Amino acid sequence: MWLQRFGAGCGVLLGLTIALPGAVEAFTGETAATGLVLGLGTALAAPTATALYLHQRPRAGRFGAVAFAVHLLGLGLFTGVAFALNVVLFYLDPATVAAVKDGPTGPALLACAGVFVAGTLLFGASLLRAGVFPRVPAAGYGLALTLLAALAPLDDTAWTSLVHVAAGASVTWLSLVALPRRALVQVA
């Protein structure tokens, strides 16, 4: 119960660290502050996915377990990618970033994003298949997080901000649903 509560709380914070900077960036473009929030917030992704899986585990079956495992690996890899893009590469000049991506770092970033996308699509499908969560945020989780990975190498636009807000809202909604409720104390 504690682990699920912790993970769901992390999910609410994760959703906010995705949505709020995305909304701000619609007006300001990417800033050091929004990048820092996005980059550090990704540390909350693994506990969040764990809470979501625990909430649906009785109905998820083998497919849900495999989807969770692939998603967890992808989250670990993409957490590093998101941190590097938002906190490290942000401060480098464009020529240096291009040189770094032209080396082995570029294919490594793409491979990490590929595992993340595969895991996210599988886990999103398991959320829909198990039928435990509302369909809108379950579909939003799979689609919006996949779009975030696809849009990560591109310049920020109003569309990327909208995707951040949709992804953050989906994560927050699912996390609130997965949050275990405390039992009421009955007085005799």
Side-chain angles (χ1 to χ4, degrees), residues 20-31 34-35 38 86 156-157 160-161 164:
L20 295 178
V24 169
E25 288 179 357
F27 302 99
T28 65
E30 187 175 6
T31 67
T34 58
L38 283 164
N86 288 294
D156 289 328
T157 66
T160 56
S161 292
H164 276 88

Side-chain angles (χ1 to χ4, degrees), residues 14 17-18 37-47 75 78-80 82-83 86:
L14 174 62
T17 67
I18 295 170
V37 171
L38 283 164
L40 293 177
T42 59
L44 303 168
L75 283 172
F78 199 69
T79 293
F83 184 84
N86 288 294

Side-chain angles (χ1 to χ4, degrees), residues 52-97:
L52 299 180
Y53 174 69
L54 289 174
H55 187 72
Q56 74 165 6
R57 186 174 75 182
R59 302 231 357 235
R62 184 181 307 266
F63 174 75
V66 171
F68 169 67
V70 175
H71 186 48
L72 201 58
L73 292 173
L75 283 172
L77 293 168
F78 199 69
T79 293
V81 170
F83 184 84
L85 291 175
N86 288 294
V87 180
V88 178
L89 297 180
F90 177 79
Y91 293 100
L92 302 177
D93 63 272
T96 304
V97 172

Side-chain angles (χ1 to χ4, degrees), residues 163-174:
V163 171
H164 276 88
V165 170
S170 296
V171 169
T172 301
W173 188 351
L174 292 173

